[in-house]
Amino acid sequence: MTASAAKGLEGVVASKTSLSFIDGLEGILVYRGYNIHELAPHASFLESVFLLWHGRLPNHQELERFEGDLAVERAIDAKTLEGLLQCVSEKTIPMAALRTGISLEGMFDADAEDNSPDANERKAKRLVARTPTIIAAIHRIRQGMEPLAPDPSLSFSQDFVRMATGEAGSDEAVAALDRTLLLYLDHGFNASTFACRVIAATLGDMHSAVAGGVGALKGSLHGGANAKAMDTLLEIGDPDNVTPWLERAFAEKRKIMGFGHRVYRTEDPRATHLREMSRVLTEQAGLEKFYKMSRELEEQMISKKGINPNVDFYCATVYYALGIPIDLYTPLFAIGRMGGWTGHVMEQHANNRLIRPRAEYVGEKDLRWVAIEDR
Ligand SMILES: CC(C)(COP(=O)(O)OP(=O)(O)OC[C@H]1O[C@@H](n2cnc3c(N)ncnc32)[C@H](O)[C@@H]1OP(=O)(O)O)[C@@H](O)C(=O)NCCC(=O)NCCS
């Protein structure tokens, strides 16, 4: 008996998870029991990573220890750095280099082939701690600058800003960046997380799984959309251009980046926070026109198409207002989602079964062999 396929696995429940919950009709996102609206104003990124991995919020001491454990793991393997220095050039796509950086780390990790819970947690800590270091190194090498070593005395997000730019960011900018990471942390069985779980379910190791996740996130229908959303706003250029630009885009049947979602049929709750952050930060940076343009585009997309912005839309102007180069937007998404990917690999390994769906075959079945000279 052959079942028929749900295109793009829409609506298919593939497995169980206790990490995050989405109600697409009501616009609800929950990390381990906590609504995102409870967490976003209060928690730090690493506090929510602890929550995701351990199923409860850390107390003071636990959080300090967790932050400390990750801080001392920030330095990447010397051979990973050597590899990046050899391969990365001005033209390198940062997400492609990140995929390679994660792979290199996997080759040199002492726990690489050990999928036990303890080894998995050690690797998860290293991966979350080192992803910013890899991205900052890629960013600097592309610009012909020396990568900077991590400084464990700084907070997770502070140190990323310093390693990428060579300067300490303002407290407000670092806090805003940290909040975007929290909002990107986890999101059910999104494409990249599902890719990680498929790899983990073969008893593949954590680095292989998350390298697959980076590959899936890179695509413009997934994490690549935050950078494309900014390209769109720059292309529109002015709030007055939104209407003619959108009419043309509809006529050309273009997908508007940063809009639409497979699961949400209403406001993406992460967009609620990012919209407000975008309003405040663009005003502070004297870039109000980009917020105005975004609002106009949002209103027209909702009234003309009934399609809401997703997490990536307002994140674009948040990053733009923070002065972050556009090709780092998707790598930043990866820093946040690394906490989710590693959590999902641990959950998969803790209760594993191979993930192996069927395909609906739509080809021929009864062809006869034809000798090569007769074809
Ligand atoms: C996220 C996304 C891939 C979900 O795709 P999906 O569930 O397969 O939805 P579909 O592509 O089948 O879209 C359903 C309908 O809405 C339209 N639609 C969906 N997103 C759209 C968008 N961003 N712009 C214009 N139209 C869109 C489709 O054209 C389609 O219309 P039709 O039925 O008239 O053909 C899709 O909305 C998209 O491509 N968005 C832009 C990329 C993006 O922002 N990705 C980040 C997601 S967090």
Side-chain angles (χ1 to χ4, degrees):
M1 190 190 70
T2 330
S4 66
K7 197 170 182 197
L9 296 185
E10 180 166 4
V12 171
V13 175
S15 183
K16 296 186 185 199
T17 182
S18 46
L19 270 58
S20 61
F21 164 78
I22 305 164
D23 183 331
L25 294 179
E26 298 293 327
I28 295 170
L29 170 62
V30 170
Y31 293 168
R32 288 279 198 178
Y34 292 89
N35 191 300
I36 197 71
H37 299 317
E38 282 287 310
L39 288 173
H42 302 295
S44 69
F45 170 62
L46 286 189
E47 202 172 4
S48 5
V49 173
F50 184 102
L51 167 69
L52 204 70
W53 292 357
H54 297 284
R56 61 183 175 79
L57 288 169
N59 64 27
H60 233 336
Q61 278 175 332
E62 287 170 327
L63 181 58
E64 235 168 62
R65 198 177 320 129
F66 188 67
E67 288 169 344
D69 286 354
L70 269 81
V72 296
E73 288 290 1
R74 278 182 209 152
I76 55 179
D77 194 284
K79 291 193 283 299
T80 302
L81 188 57
E82 207 178 294
L84 293 174
L85 282 163
Q86 261 176 33
C87 307
V88 173
S89 74
E90 196 191 344
K91 293 200 180 91
T92 307
I93 305 287
M95 282 298 280
L98 175 62
R99 193 185 53 214
T100 300
I102 298 290
S103 265
L104 286 167
E105 279 291 299
M107 283 172 67
F108 310 128
D109 195 296
D111 292 313
E113 298 304 317
D114 186 348
N115 289 344
S116 67
D118 286 350
N120 266 355
E121 186 161 348
R122 288 195 294 274
K123 287 187 281 188
K125 283 179 174 166
R126 284 197 278 275
L127 279 161
V128 170
R130 294 180 189 191
T131 302
T133 317
I134 297 174
I135 292 169
I138 293 165
H139 177 58
R140 292 181 73 85
I141 298 168
R142 286 177 79 225
Q143 295 177 94
M145 294 192 291
E146 280 287 307
L148 296 176
D151 175 353
S153 72
L154 299 179
S155 80
F156 181 86
S157 294
Q158 262 174 341
D159 205 20
F160 171 70
V161 172
R162 187 196 56 84
M163 284 190 287
T165 64
E167 287 164 25
S170 71
D171 289 351
E172 293 75 24
V174 169
L177 180 81
D178 197 77
R179 185 170 296 175
T180 65
L181 302 180
L182 179 157
L183 293 167
Y184 272 139
L185 174 60
D186 197 41
H187 209 232
F189 273 23
N190 61 88
S192 58
T193 299
F194 188 59
C196 290
R197 288 195 75 130
V198 169
I199 296 169
T202 68
L203 296 184
D205 65 282
M206 188 175 281
H207 286 82
S208 298
V210 302
V214 172
L217 188 74
K218 180 171 176 284
S220 60
L221 296 189
H222 191 9
N226 58 7
K228 299 268 183 210
M230 196 63 230
D231 291 341
T232 296
L233 292 169
L234 289 167
E235 189 185 319
I236 296 173
D238 190 272
D240 289 342
N241 294 342
V242 169
T243 306
W245 185 91
L246 202 54
E247 270 165 20
R248 219 174 29 252
F250 287 158
E252 290 165 2
K253 302 212 174 311
R254 277 172 74 171
K255 281 272 175 83
I256 317 302
M257 292 293 143
F259 284 87
H261 201 272
R262 176 61 64 77
V263 183
Y264 292 116
R265 290 292 163 259
T266 180
E267 166 106 340
D268 178 335
R270 301 165 299 177
T272 314
H273 294 274
L274 290 160
R275 184 190 294 106
E276 179 55 13
M277 289 166 72
S278 166
R279 185 187 69 73
V280 173
L281 292 165
T282 52
E283 193 184 318
Q284 283 171 2
L287 293 166
E288 300 91 333
K289 109 172 166 180
F290 287 95
Y291 179 73
K292 237 179 125 189
M293 220 188 302
S294 303
R295 289 291 288 162
E296 187 61 38
L297 194 57
E298 174 181 15
E299 274 159 29
Q300 295 204 25
M301 280 297 284
I302 293 173
S303 63
K304 294 178 177 163
K305 287 272 179 185
I307 299 177
N308 292 83
N310 57 49
V311 66
D312 291 316
F313 186 62
Y314 281 103
C315 199
T317 39
V318 166
Y319 288 159
Y320 196 68
L322 292 175
I324 297 169
I326 296 174
D327 53 16
L328 287 189
Y329 293 9
T330 311
L332 277 165
F333 190 156
I335 295 180
R337 192 55 59 87
M338 187 59 74
W341 291 333
T342 48
H344 278 272
V345 172
M346 291 191 276
E347 189 180 54
Q348 185 65 41
H349 281 166
N351 184 17
N352 191 54
R353 191 167 187 220
L354 181 74
I355 298 172
R356 203 296 185 196
R358 298 282 306 273
E360 181 186 351
Y361 178 67
V362 292
E364 305 270 7
K365 282 184 184 153
D366 299 314
L367 300 180
R368 303 301 303 264
W369 176 251
V370 180
I372 196 161
E373 56 275 17
D374 297 332
R375 287 175 213 162

PDB file of all heavy atoms in Angstrom, residues 75-92:
ATOM      1  N   ALA A  75      37.407  29.494  22.860  1.00  0.00           N
ATOM      2  CA  ALA A  75      38.524  29.445  21.890  1.00  0.00           C
ATOM      3  C   ALA A  75      38.361  28.243  20.975  1.00  0.00           C
ATOM      4  O   ALA A  75      38.162  27.112  21.446  1.00  0.00           O
ATOM      5  CB  ALA A  75      39.844  29.371  22.640  1.00  0.00           C
ATOM      6  N   ILE A  76      38.419  28.467  19.672  1.00  0.00           N
ATOM      7  CA  ILE A  76      38.273  27.347  18.734  1.00  0.00           C
ATOM      8  C   ILE A  76      39.594  26.598  18.624  1.00  0.00           C
ATOM      9  O   ILE A  76      40.649  27.120  18.979  1.00  0.00           O
ATOM     10  CB  ILE A  76      37.767  27.815  17.335  1.00  0.00           C
ATOM     11  CG1 ILE A  76      38.675  28.898  16.739  1.00  0.00           C
ATOM     12  CG2 ILE A  76      36.342  28.305  17.433  1.00  0.00           C
ATOM     13  CD1 ILE A  76      38.229  29.359  15.352  1.00  0.00           C
ATOM     14  N   ASP A  77      39.517  25.363  18.129  1.00  0.00           N
ATOM     15  CA  ASP A  77      40.718  24.550  17.960  1.00  0.00           C
ATOM     16  C   ASP A  77      41.708  25.288  17.024  1.00  0.00           C
ATOM     17  O   ASP A  77      41.278  25.891  16.030  1.00  0.00           O
ATOM     18  CB  ASP A  77      40.306  23.205  17.344  1.00  0.00           C
ATOM     19  CG  ASP A  77      41.420  22.182  17.449  1.00  0.00           C
ATOM     20  OD1 ASP A  77      42.393  22.282  16.662  1.00  0.00           O
ATOM     21  OD2 ASP A  77      41.322  21.301  18.323  1.00  0.00           O
ATOM     22  N   ALA A  78      42.997  25.194  17.369  1.00  0.00           N
ATOM     23  CA  ALA A  78      44.006  25.905  16.557  1.00  0.00           C
ATOM     24  C   ALA A  78      43.944  25.442  15.101  1.00  0.00           C
ATOM     25  O   ALA A  78      44.146  26.243  14.168  1.00  0.00           O
ATOM     26  CB  ALA A  78      45.396  25.657  17.139  1.00  0.00           C
ATOM     27  N   LYS A  79      43.610  24.166  14.893  1.00  0.00           N
ATOM     28  CA  LYS A  79      43.576  23.656  13.508  1.00  0.00           C
ATOM     29  C   LYS A  79      42.335  24.168  12.759  1.00  0.00           C
ATOM     30  O   LYS A  79      42.348  24.334  11.553  1.00  0.00           O
ATOM     31  CB  LYS A  79      43.633  22.120  13.508  1.00  0.00           C
ATOM     32  CG  LYS A  79      45.008  21.604  13.976  1.00  0.00           C
ATOM     33  CD  LYS A  79      45.214  20.144  13.709  1.00  0.00           C
ATOM     34  CE  LYS A  79      44.491  19.233  14.681  1.00  0.00           C
ATOM     35  NZ  LYS A  79      44.857  19.352  16.102  1.00  0.00           N
ATOM     36  N   THR A  80      41.257  24.414  13.508  1.00  0.00           N
ATOM     37  CA  THR A  80      40.072  25.019  12.875  1.00  0.00           C
ATOM     38  C   THR A  80      40.427  26.423  12.393  1.00  0.00           C
ATOM     39  O   THR A  80      40.122  26.808  11.249  1.00  0.00           O
ATOM     40  CB  THR A  80      38.892  25.120  13.885  1.00  0.00           C
ATOM     41  OG1 THR A  80      38.596  23.822  14.363  1.00  0.00           O
ATOM     42  CG2 THR A  80      37.659  25.736  13.256  1.00  0.00           C
ATOM     43  N   LEU A  81      41.110  27.159  13.259  1.00  0.00           N
ATOM     44  CA  LEU A  81      41.492  28.531  12.903  1.00  0.00           C
ATOM     45  C   LEU A  81      42.433  28.527  11.694  1.00  0.00           C
ATOM     46  O   LEU A  81      42.263  29.319  10.751  1.00  0.00           O
ATOM     47  CB  LEU A  81      42.156  29.206  14.113  1.00  0.00           C
ATOM     48  CG  LEU A  81      42.445  30.696  13.969  1.00  0.00           C
ATOM     49  CD1 LEU A  81      41.181  31.480  13.656  1.00  0.00           C
ATOM     50  CD2 LEU A  81      43.073  31.247  15.255  1.00  0.00           C
ATOM     51  N   GLU A  82      43.376  27.597  11.727  1.00  0.00           N
ATOM     52  CA  GLU A  82      44.318  27.472  10.608  1.00  0.00           C
ATOM     53  C   GLU A  82      43.556  27.188   9.304  1.00  0.00           C
ATOM     54  O   GLU A  82      43.815  27.801   8.266  1.00  0.00           O
ATOM     55  CB  GLU A  82      45.235  26.296  10.916  1.00  0.00           C
ATOM     56  CG  GLU A  82      46.603  26.334  10.313  1.00  0.00           C
ATOM     57  CD  GLU A  82      47.365  25.084  10.787  1.00  0.00           C
ATOM     58  OE1 GLU A  82      47.640  24.971  12.009  1.00  0.00           O
ATOM     59  OE2 GLU A  82      47.618  24.234   9.946  1.00  0.00           O
ATOM     60  N   GLY A  83      42.592  26.265   9.387  1.00  0.00           N
ATOM     61  CA  GLY A  83      41.794  25.912   8.209  1.00  0.00           C
ATOM     62  C   GLY A  83      41.039  27.127   7.680  1.00  0.00           C
ATOM     63  O   GLY A  83      41.008  27.392   6.472  1.00  0.00           O
ATOM     64  N   LEU A  84      40.427  27.890   8.593  1.00  0.00           N
ATOM     65  CA  LEU A  84      39.665  29.068   8.163  1.00  0.00           C
ATOM     66  C   LEU A  84      40.599  30.097   7.532  1.00  0.00           C
ATOM     67  O   LEU A  84      40.286  30.693   6.497  1.00  0.00           O
ATOM     68  CB  LEU A  84      38.903  29.685   9.338  1.00  0.00           C
ATOM     69  CG  LEU A  84      37.761  28.850   9.932  1.00  0.00           C
ATOM     70  CD1 LEU A  84      37.189  29.522  11.181  1.00  0.00           C
ATOM     71  CD2 LEU A  84      36.636  28.628   8.911  1.00  0.00           C
ATOM     72  N   LEU A  85      41.779  30.280   8.156  1.00  0.00           N
ATOM     73  CA  LEU A  85      42.732  31.260   7.615  1.00  0.00           C
ATOM     74  C   LEU A  85      43.176  30.869   6.207  1.00  0.00           C
ATOM     75  O   LEU A  85      43.392  31.720   5.343  1.00  0.00           O
ATOM     76  CB  LEU A  85      43.955  31.373   8.537  1.00  0.00           C
ATOM     77  CG  LEU A  85      43.729  32.206   9.808  1.00  0.00           C
ATOM     78  CD1 LEU A  85      44.808  31.933  10.849  1.00  0.00           C
ATOM     79  CD2 LEU A  85      43.669  33.698   9.487  1.00  0.00           C
ATOM     80  N   GLN A  86      43.247  29.563   5.974  1.00  0.00           N
ATOM     81  CA  GLN A  86      43.670  29.100   4.648  1.00  0.00           C
ATOM     82  C   GLN A  86      42.573  29.252   3.603  1.00  0.00           C
ATOM     83  O   GLN A  86      42.838  29.546   2.443  1.00  0.00           O
ATOM     84  CB  GLN A  86      44.034  27.619   4.730  1.00  0.00           C
ATOM     85  CG  GLN A  86      45.528  27.404   4.852  1.00  0.00           C
ATOM     86  CD  GLN A  86      45.844  25.929   5.041  1.00  0.00           C
ATOM     87  OE1 GLN A  86      45.145  25.077   4.501  1.00  0.00           O
ATOM     88  NE2 GLN A  86      46.867  25.652   5.817  1.00  0.00           N
ATOM     89  N   CYS A  87      41.306  28.985   4.023  1.00  0.00           N
ATOM     90  CA  CYS A  87      40.228  28.867   3.018  1.00  0.00           C
ATOM     91  C   CYS A  87      39.423  30.145   2.812  1.00  0.00           C
ATOM     92  O   CYS A  87      38.865  30.345   1.738  1.00  0.00           O
ATOM     93  CB  CYS A  87      39.213  27.816   3.435  1.00  0.00           C
ATOM     94  SG  CYS A  87      39.916  26.254   3.807  1.00  0.00           S
ATOM     95  N   VAL A  88      39.275  30.941   3.871  1.00  0.00           N
ATOM     96  CA  VAL A  88      38.324  32.051   3.775  1.00  0.00           C
ATOM     97  C   VAL A  88      38.970  33.235   3.048  1.00  0.00           C
ATOM     98  O   VAL A  88      40.100  33.608   3.336  1.00  0.00           O
ATOM     99  CB  VAL A  88      37.831  32.475   5.183  1.00  0.00           C
ATOM    100  CG1 VAL A  88      36.985  33.735   5.115  1.00  0.00           C
ATOM    101  CG2 VAL A  88      37.047  31.342   5.826  1.00  0.00           C
ATOM    102  N   SER A  89      38.230  33.784   2.090  1.00  0.00           N
ATOM    103  CA  SER A  89      38.697  34.986   1.392  1.00  0.00           C
ATOM    104  C   SER A  89      37.560  36.004   1.405  1.00  0.00           C
ATOM    105  O   SER A  89      36.456  35.712   1.879  1.00  0.00           O
ATOM    106  CB  SER A  89      39.074  34.640  -0.045  1.00  0.00           C
ATOM    107  OG  SER A  89      37.888  34.427  -0.776  1.00  0.00           O
ATOM    108  N   GLU A  90      37.840  37.141   0.856  1.00  0.00           N
ATOM    109  CA  GLU A  90      36.866  38.236   0.763  1.00  0.00           C
ATOM    110  C   GLU A  90      35.535  37.755   0.172  1.00  0.00           C
ATOM    111  O   GLU A  90      34.466  38.214   0.546  1.00  0.00           O
ATOM    112  CB  GLU A  90      37.525  39.264  -0.160  1.00  0.00           C
ATOM    113  CG  GLU A  90      36.984  40.634  -0.182  1.00  0.00           C
ATOM    114  CD  GLU A  90      37.617  41.382  -1.365  1.00  0.00           C
ATOM    115  OE1 GLU A  90      38.653  40.899  -1.897  1.00  0.00           O
ATOM    116  OE2 GLU A  90      37.063  42.403  -1.736  1.00  0.00           O
ATOM    117  N   LYS A  91      35.640  36.792  -0.776  1.00  0.00           N
ATOM    118  CA  LYS A  91      34.435  36.368  -1.512  1.00  0.00           C
ATOM    119  C   LYS A  91      33.653  35.252  -0.808  1.00  0.00           C
ATOM    120  O   LYS A  91      32.570  34.887  -1.249  1.00  0.00           O
ATOM    121  CB  LYS A  91      34.856  35.854  -2.901  1.00  0.00           C
ATOM    122  CG  LYS A  91      35.419  36.939  -3.794  1.00  0.00           C
ATOM    123  CD  LYS A  91      35.332  36.486  -5.263  1.00  0.00           C
ATOM    124  CE  LYS A  91      35.881  37.540  -6.187  1.00  0.00           C
ATOM    125  NZ  LYS A  91      37.319  37.372  -6.468  1.00  0.00           N
ATOM    126  N   THR A  92      34.213  34.710   0.262  1.00  0.00           N
ATOM    127  CA  THR A  92      33.570  33.559   0.916  1.00  0.00           C
ATOM    128  C   THR A  92      32.217  33.951   1.509  1.00  0.00           C
ATOM    129  O   THR A  92      32.088  34.998   2.155  1.00  0.00           O
ATOM    130  CB  THR A  92      34.478  33.026   2.048  1.00  0.00           C
ATOM    131  OG1 THR A  92      35.767  32.784   1.497  1.00  0.00           O
ATOM    132  CG2 THR A  92      33.930  31.756   2.658  1.00  0.00           C
TER     133      THR A  92
END
